[in-house]
Amino acid sequence: MVKILEEFPDFHATFNVVPSLGLQLEEYASGSFNEPWFDLAFRDAEQLTREDKSEVLLRAFQVNHERFLTRWPRFRELYEWSRAGGGAQAVVTFTPRDWRDLQLLSQLAWMDEEWIACDATINRLSAKGRDFAEKDKIALKQKQLEFLKLVLPIYREAAVRGQIELSTTPFYHPILPLVCDSDIARISNPATPLPRRPYRHPEDAREQLRRAREYHERMFGVAPAGLWPSEGSVSDQTLAIAAEEGFKWFGTDEGILGRTLNVAFFRDATGLAANADRLYRPLRVQSGKNEITGLFRDHHISDLIGFVYSRMDARAAAADLHGRLRAIGERVQSKHPLTICLFLDGENAWEYYPGNGREFLREFYGRIQGDGDFRALTASEAIAAAGEISENSGISPGSWINANFDVWIGHSEDVQAWDLLWDARETYARAEESMVQGRADAPTEARLKEAKESLLAAEGSDWCWWFGPEHSTANDAEFDSLYRRHLTGIYRSVGKIAPDELAKPIKKRPERALNLLPSEYLRVDVNGRDSSYFEWLGAGLYAPERRSGAMHGRTFYLRELRYGFEPERLCIRLDVFPDALSELRDAEFRISVQANSEVMLVARLAQGKMAECAVEQERICLLNARAAEAAYDQILELAINKELFDLRGMSRLRIGVALWHGGLPVDVLPAEGVLDVQLGEEGFAWPIEPLTL
């Protein structure tokens, strides 16, 4: 993003650099780092042990499958071959050629689009696509190390020329309000479970901020004026500390502003927020003798960038975004310039865009730069240009996710993590006191410093992000283990024995999508109602962990997908979250089924009822009304005739469901875009038809 801005000199923006991430980037750029997966990815394929191969299979495919796995057919081929026997078969059957290709492609997949297009070595490797040699791996490794050295300097250069502002985050990315006082979680959600003893260490919060400022000054040459508190989490106490430490502004979410001012920002059918004149203004928060100015993101539009526009044509998406911003300027009455804040935090949106979002960004930047009614400013510039700024005596505590802290303290696993942290913090405090008193059993200054580093790292937010049911990855066990190792390090550094509890995992079995294969053929009456328990019994089921219609700041509408086969029809059932869907005045379901060609069924709702249904084949609308059947009442049911599909040589179908509203895709199942459905009578599906030449 910062590189593209060079093409649009009048477009200014703010970037946030988390210090602990910056330190890692510095370490990687030095070339002197210990990264086992990096070493394994470039190890000679002939020397891989059985354990090495299992690790490669575990790590290599942890990429965005929709964008990057399918980019190189060989990568997709290796993925499909590796699925047999849970990977055990691949460990035995893969040849050195297979391992070499997999090692290289697993690293090439992470290469920036710019390098693939413009760097001769990366372009050559990408075009080659398979049958790599060890010298190709060496060339890629050298390029990785070369590119890592460029990351931080390009931000520094853009800041020096005045086009971007760099803000910071508390050093190890802690949720500062909870570090200051964990009981504050009850203010934003009175039902939040709390640790047995409140965690109250504002002195640690201050140190996390001081370290962040010191790192920023060392890396970028100036003190940061702005603060993106980890996950946009704020409270009166943390803002007071930040103001005392010299920070001039902070950023967070509109939900915090709404609770602070006791107003709502409900959107109308066009997406315009109620009370928009209050949303699109900075707010100065008074804290004793100090003050700090808050900027509040437009949650709705930011989420369009983070989750929706990636599924649209880049030009259309940029035009939609520009149009929405123009509509705000034209319809919201204010004596002062409107300050619209578009913040993305943690969505990693660009990997879901074609071309890593470059076309979309160029289209959007160009439209704004060429529109005289807009100025794209850094945060500090926007505050200076805002005119008179209202003041408030405090802030409602919360984060950018649902304006509360539930993700980090709202589950029994989170509470256990905080209890273990409390115990370790007390052990550190006693050791610190013993050193001050000069007792014989006191640790050395160096050992106490080690313990403090482990403590501050353990206060980071990422651990509790992965505890509880909200989030899960293939690396849950490693996150869990690393958190407990940080806590164990505190005890060991001060010469104490770590408690037995730190040997036991905190994270329970991860809750991922339930994916059940069909177990019998179906006979469905397409009426849009759950007519009988037996009607869909035996269907395939894809049910992700979506226990309600909303999760960490995003609304979900689609609940689960069922599918199965009749002799001449493919049957699909879609369950929704009715309360969430009822908030959409009109909606459109698009069900895509891919064989050798694509068949799409489009079902349009009006006022919650089926208004129109159409079938498209390769984007051409079919006039044959009997080609498919669909109905919606409590659920969406549909059946598509087998005759529409070209199944020659196909061993599977690929099903994807999207919900559109107002010309935008607002939810999809599965999240990856498509669900592979195996053909063959052993899977209670249509027989596989041989490909004839």
Side-chain angles (χ1 to χ4, degrees):
M1 291 179 70
V2 72
K3 181 70 174 173
I4 294 174
L5 283 177
E6 294 178 2
E7 305 169 24
F8 303 90
D10 294 332
F11 195 108
H12 291 192
T14 302
F15 291 82
N16 190 75
V17 179
V18 179
S20 53
L21 172 61
L23 271 183
Q24 292 176 70
L25 287 169
E26 284 189 274
E27 187 176 354
Y28 282 127
S30 73
S32 301
F33 58 88
N34 177 22
E35 176 60 79
W37 168 227
F38 182 86
D39 295 339
L40 188 57
F42 294 105
R43 188 168 299 165
D44 191 314
E46 299 277 4
Q47 298 176 6
L48 294 175
T49 66
R50 189 182 185 91
E51 291 73 21
D52 291 342
K53 293 173 181 178
S54 296
E55 186 75 6
V56 170
L57 291 174
L58 176 66
R59 305 286 184 187
F61 301 113
Q62 290 184 15
V63 299
N64 182 314
H65 284 204
E66 183 179 0
R67 292 288 176 211
F68 304 134
L69 188 67
T70 57
R71 181 172 197 154
W72 294 277
R74 173 65 165 157
F75 201 12
R76 176 77 189 191
E77 179 181 75
L78 291 168
Y79 171 75
E80 293 180 343
W81 288 355
S82 72
R83 298 304 89 190
Q89 186 173 323
V91 170
V92 177
T93 60
F94 271 21
T95 67
R97 167 179 170 267
D98 296 329
W99 293 113
R100 196 176 296 114
D101 284 359
L102 182 53
Q103 287 173 296
L104 190 141
L105 289 170
S106 73
Q107 301 302 296
L108 191 62
W110 291 98
M111 271 293 161
D112 189 272
E113 297 280 343
E114 191 86 0
W115 301 128
I116 293 176
C118 301
D119 183 87
T121 299
I122 303 303
N123 182 269
R124 176 181 63 81
L125 294 175
S126 180
K128 187 176 182 180
R130 62 192 307 131
D131 298 327
F132 298 107
E134 290 296 329
K135 65 180 181 180
D136 291 328
K137 287 164 52 181
I138 294 172
L140 179 59
K141 180 179 180 180
Q142 290 173 341
K143 283 294 179 180
Q144 282 200 10
L145 296 174
E146 175 187 328
F147 296 157
L148 282 165
K149 296 177 182 179
L150 305 177
V151 178
L152 289 173
I154 198 171
Y155 287 94
R156 184 165 54 237
E157 292 162 9
V160 168
R161 70 173 183 264
Q163 190 174 5
I164 73 169
E165 178 178 1
L166 293 170
S167 59
T168 193
T169 292
F171 194 89
Y172 277 110
H173 206 272
I175 304 297
L176 282 192
L178 298 181
V179 172
C180 287
D181 182 2
S182 58
D183 280 0
I184 203 169
R186 281 278 172 88
I187 295 178
S188 48
N189 182 359
T192 297
L194 295 175
R196 289 181 289 116
R197 301 142 301 183
Y199 194 88
R200 290 175 179 150
H201 291 284
E203 70 277 19
D204 291 1
R206 188 179 297 274
E207 183 163 358
Q208 297 268 13
L209 285 170
R210 283 181 175 173
R211 286 191 178 206
R213 188 186 62 217
E214 291 167 359
Y215 172 81
H216 198 97
E217 287 181 304
R218 176 180 69 79
M219 173 53 56
F220 302 113
V222 295
L227 179 72
W228 175 256
S230 316
E231 309 291 355
S233 55
V234 294
S235 67
D236 286 340
Q237 190 174 14
T238 59
L239 291 184
I241 296 172
E244 290 167 6
E245 291 300 319
F247 290 97
K248 303 301 182 185
W249 63 264
F250 69 93
T252 187
D253 187 69
E254 67 177 47
I256 300 296
L257 179 65
R259 290 194 175 190
T260 299
L261 302 180
N262 196 28
V263 299
F265 301 118
F266 296 118
R267 266 68 179 183
D268 64 17
T270 67
L272 185 69
N275 300 300
D277 58 321
R278 307 186 78 176
L279 171 60
Y280 301 127
R281 294 184 63 189
L283 181 70
R284 188 163 287 130
V285 179
Q286 295 289 337
S287 176
K289 298 180 180 179
N290 298 295
E291 62 182 27
I292 188 169
T293 302
L295 294 169
F296 304 89
R297 79 173 193 145
D298 183 307
H299 196 124
H300 176 68
I301 299 181
S302 297
D303 275 359
L304 290 179
I305 300 171
F307 301 110
V308 174
Y309 288 144
S310 60
R311 300 194 290 272
M312 295 176 62
D313 171 77
R315 288 174 179 264
D320 184 87
L321 177 54
H322 180 222
R324 288 173 185 272
L325 298 179
R326 280 212 61 87
I328 291 171
E330 292 165 356
R331 296 176 59 188
V332 178
Q333 302 300 312
S334 175
K335 296 181 295 184
H336 307 284
L338 299 180
T339 306
I340 305 175
C341 299
L342 306 182
F343 300 163
L344 266 65
D345 177 44
E347 290 93 329
N348 300 324
W350 308 118
E351 69 180 79
Y352 293 92
Y353 281 72
N356 242 27
R358 275 180 170 73
E359 185 180 357
F360 167 77
L361 290 170
R362 287 190 171 104
E363 284 286 332
F364 176 60
Y365 291 164
R367 284 174 175 271
I368 296 298
Q369 184 172 267
D371 190 329
D373 291 331
F374 289 91
R375 294 174 64 196
L377 303 175
T378 69
S380 292
E381 290 171 342
I383 292 170
E388 182 182 351
I389 297 178
S390 300
E391 297 183 355
N392 206 69
S393 59
I395 197 84
S396 177
S399 74
W400 75 278
I401 301 178
N402 299 326
N404 59 38
F405 303 107
D406 285 1
V407 169
W408 300 276
I409 204 167
H411 187 269
S412 59
E413 292 176 0
D414 303 321
V415 170
Q416 183 183 355
W418 282 99
D419 282 334
L420 293 172
L421 178 62
W422 193 98
D423 292 337
R425 183 65 177 79
E426 286 299 297
T427 299
Y428 170 83
R430 289 193 295 270
E432 187 178 40
E433 183 180 2
S434 69
M435 193 181 78
V436 171
Q437 295 174 349
R439 297 206 306 260
D441 63 342
T444 65
E445 185 175 349
R447 300 292 283 175
L448 193 66
K449 185 178 179 180
E450 287 180 9
K452 185 62 171 288
E453 207 66 36
S454 293
L455 170 64
L456 294 175
E459 288 178 340
S461 71
D462 288 350
W463 318 115
C464 285
W465 177 270
W466 298 112
F467 295 141
E470 300 95 345
H471 306 108
S472 180
T473 75
N475 305 307
D476 283 346
E478 289 170 277
F479 281 107
D480 189 338
S481 174
L482 188 53
Y483 176 68
R484 290 180 284 112
R485 282 171 58 191
H486 280 305
L487 297 182
T488 302
I490 298 170
Y491 290 95
R492 289 179 175 172
S493 294
V494 300
K496 302 297 182 183
I497 298 175
D500 291 341
E501 287 82 357
L502 292 180
K504 304 172 185 175
I506 299 171
K507 181 77 175 179
K508 305 303 184 289
R509 191 178 186 91
E511 298 178 69
R512 300 190 179 91
L514 179 63
N515 194 354
L516 301 178
L517 301 178
S519 59
E520 61 183 80
Y521 293 106
L522 301 182
R523 187 173 181 179
V524 174
D525 180 12
V526 179
N527 56 21
R529 296 187 299 275
D530 195 359
S531 305
S532 163
Y533 167 78
F534 299 97
E535 185 178 26
W536 287 91
L537 188 65
L541 170 66
Y542 182 86
E545 170 53 9
R546 294 178 173 181
R547 295 174 301 158
S548 65
M551 189 177 292
H552 58 267
R554 182 185 177 191
T555 299
F556 290 114
Y557 302 93
L558 307 179
R559 185 168 190 167
E560 60 187 31
L561 168 70
R562 299 172 194 265
Y563 64 92
F565 296 85
E566 297 177 351
E568 297 301 324
R569 300 195 304 177
L570 168 66
C571 300
I572 295 175
R573 163 178 165 169
L574 189 64
D575 289 57
V576 300
F577 292 104
D579 291 341
L581 191 61
S582 67
E583 296 178 5
L584 305 182
R585 295 179 61 185
D586 301 310
E588 183 177 284
F589 294 96
R590 299 186 182 184
I591 296 88
S592 167
V593 184
Q594 301 172 26
N596 283 314
S597 59
E598 182 185 43
V599 174
M600 179 177 290
L601 187 142
V602 181
R604 297 183 180 89
L605 305 185
Q607 304 298 321
K609 301 295 183 181
M610 178 80 79
E612 184 182 1
C613 180
V615 180
E616 298 175 0
Q617 193 171 41
E618 292 296 283
R619 305 296 178 184
I620 299 174
C621 187
L622 302 181
L623 299 179
N624 183 1
R626 293 177 295 179
E629 185 179 8
Y632 177 81
D633 189 350
Q634 305 160 335
I635 57 178
L636 178 69
E637 290 182 310
L638 60 98
I640 306 175
N641 288 359
K642 180 181 179 182
E643 64 187 24
L644 295 184
F645 300 101
D646 180 1
L647 301 173
R648 291 170 298 173
M650 299 297 298
S651 62
R652 65 183 179 185
L653 299 175
R654 307 185 82 190
I655 298 176
V657 176
L659 180 70
W660 287 60
H661 177 250
L664 300 173
V666 294
D667 200 7
V668 294
L669 272 183
E672 297 80 9
V674 293
L675 177 69
D676 284 347
V677 175
Q678 297 299 316
L679 297 177
E681 295 181 70
E682 67 278 5
F684 297 93
W686 295 328
I688 297 175
E689 297 182 9
L691 181 63
T692 57
L693 300 177

